[in-house]
Amino acid sequence: MKRIAVFTSGGDSPGMNACIRAVVRTAIYHKIEVLGIKHGYDGMIKGEFSKMDSSSVANIIHRGGTILKTARSKKFLTIEGRKSALANLQKHGINGVVVIGGDGSFRGALEFSEICDIPFVGCPGTIDNDLIGTDFAIGYDTAVNTVVEAVDKIRDTAESHDRLFFVEVMGRDAGLIALRSGISVGAEAIIMPETKTDIEDLITRLESGRKSKSSKIIIVAEGDEAGGAFVIAEQVKKRLPDYDTRVTILGHIQRGGNPSAMDRVNSSRMGFAAIEALLAGKRNVMVGIIDKKIAYTPFQNAVKHHQRLNPDLVRMIDILSL
Ligand code: F6P
């Protein structure tokens, strides 16, 4: 292995920079040249390659976003796009690739492997944490902490005005951000796509709950089948008009910000392990951390199912919010 490429793809997530840094410095340690590709698969198609060295990743471990920029590439979905990408990898003499991204990025790598025999190793970068093969994807912990910080502030207003808040969080069609943040903020209910949403049940819970509670916070995962926070709040308001109800959509603040210590350490470990995987001859696998140990999962398994909600956590929600 003489020369590798690294790129970020899909939605950015805090910790991607720490992972790029680890990839670059581990490769250099092993005397492997590194080229960074800007703008994900789009940049691979357009030829946005540039050499990276130790100093190009200095002072980035603490920064959110990605210095390599990112994109969700439509062109890579076409065979012409993939052929141009392959031609560029070959032109630059690339013998291995590290892709930092989510399920779309790994699906892309799998599809690419039909025409490209250069080994790809993935590092899971997605705040949604919806991949099999790692307990925590890069950015998930930071995103949850961002939600917690924001909802703690909302709680102050909710408490002062005796209000019912519906707070919508990201996660695409996964409820993992909602679950972990909801438990952390002591939410009165957590609405997630993986569990059945019963508005009648929610209303009963709100009505039968402890009357002395002045504030109530319901966390709603954006992908819930009942609709987003606005839709659910409307339904509840019709039935409980006396509640002073508000809706907050947290949106993209969940994707930004300095990575937490946990994300910095995990990202460093995964970037380091990605280079070791390429050196060991692995291909089309995602690096992950399961039970504190590095694990490798084939791309096709990593993207197959969403990570399931921990049933122990789900069981606690209603009991702890009484
Ligand atoms: O996958 C990360 C994520 O932030 C999801 O939680 C969200 O549904 C989506 O990306 C938003 O994507 P975009 O930034 O392209 O609007």
Side-chain angles (χ1 to χ4, degrees):
M1 186 118 337
K2 291 264 187 300
R3 185 182 283 171
I4 63 144
V6 58
F7 69 103
T8 47
S9 165
D12 65 324
S13 64
M16 280 183 160
N17 280 328
C19 190
I20 296 168
R21 173 180 176 270
V23 166
V24 170
R25 293 202 169 158
T26 310
I28 289 171
Y29 173 80
H30 288 287
K31 312 221 176 321
I32 302 169
E33 264 188 76
V34 187
L35 300 192
I37 306 173
K38 286 238 166 110
H39 297 110
Y41 288 111
D42 271 350
M44 199 184 283
I45 294 168
K46 286 190 197 141
E48 295 183 64
F49 292 62
S50 55
K51 192 160 185 297
M52 299 186 84
D53 57 23
S54 235
S55 61
S56 49
V57 291
N59 288 322
I60 64 166
I61 194 167
H62 61 294
R63 280 168 52 195
T66 158
I67 58 161
L68 288 176
K69 313 230 176 217
T70 187
R72 301 189 202 277
S73 176
K74 291 219 167 66
K75 280 194 202 130
F76 197 73
L77 298 175
T78 67
I79 184 67
E80 293 73 33
R82 292 196 290 279
K83 280 185 180 160
S84 308
L86 176 60
N88 279 328
L89 289 177
Q90 288 167 339
K91 184 172 117 194
H92 287 94
I94 301 298
N95 323 119
V97 178
V98 178
V99 44
I100 307 166
D103 65 344
S105 314
F106 301 154
R107 280 179 211 280
L110 264 182
E111 186 95 23
F112 199 31
S113 67
E114 285 170 18
I115 60 161
C116 167
D117 70 350
I118 301 168
F120 271 57
V121 169
C123 291
T126 166
I127 62 163
D128 304 337
N129 203 34
D130 57 351
L131 291 158
I132 296 283
T134 193
D135 294 336
F136 285 83
I138 295 167
Y140 173 58
D141 181 62
T142 307
V144 168
N145 280 303
T146 301
V147 172
V148 170
E149 204 184 322
V151 178
D152 284 350
K153 289 177 179 153
I154 291 171
R155 179 71 82 175
D156 291 344
T157 297
E159 192 73 12
S160 307
H161 288 264
D162 300 338
R163 280 180 181 164
L164 164 63
F165 267 87
F166 290 83
V167 182
E168 185 177 299
V169 301
M170 277 187 168
R172 201 179 290 272
D173 45 7
L176 288 140
I177 296 179
L179 177 62
R180 206 167 178 84
S181 60
I183 289 172
S184 305
V185 300
E188 276 59 37
I190 307 173
I191 294 177
M192 300 168 283
E194 295 86 347
T195 55
K196 197 173 154 19
T197 301
D198 182 344
I199 302 291
E200 285 311 313
D201 185 55
L202 178 63
I203 289 165
T204 313
R205 274 187 62 74
L206 287 170
E207 281 299 85
S208 62
R210 191 155 39 87
K211 293 285 178 248
S212 57
K213 264 190 184 178
S214 51
S215 67
K216 290 184 176 18
I217 290 187
I218 316 293
I219 300 287
V220 182
E222 64 176 352
D224 190 76
E225 78 279 358
F230 275 111
V231 174
I232 295 173
E234 269 314 306
Q235 290 173 9
V236 172
K237 249 193 311 195
K238 275 192 199 130
R239 299 285 310 282
L240 303 172
D242 293 344
Y243 278 71
D244 190 5
T245 304
R246 294 290 187 277
V247 175
T248 304
I249 312 281
L250 289 184
H252 285 82
I253 65 160
Q254 293 162 94
R255 285 244 293 269
N258 300 349
S260 64
M262 178 162 158
D263 268 323
R264 296 180 200 195
V265 174
N266 284 350
S267 306
S268 302
R269 286 188 72 189
M270 292 196 264
F272 184 85
I275 296 299
E276 294 199 328
L278 283 174
L279 285 170
K282 294 192 193 303
R283 57 170 59 223
N284 290 333
V285 292
M286 184 194 87
V287 180
I289 301 177
I290 302 176
D291 290 337
K292 301 191 182 140
K293 291 202 182 69
I294 290 291
Y296 298 99
T297 303
F299 283 152
Q300 61 265 36
N301 295 350
V303 301
K304 219 175 207 165
H305 308 282
H306 283 162
Q307 193 183 120
R308 285 185 187 81
L309 300 182
N310 179 340
D312 289 343
L313 298 188
V314 176
R315 226 159 32 87
M316 277 180 1
I317 303 168
D318 291 351
I319 297 167
L320 297 193
S321 66
L322 284 176

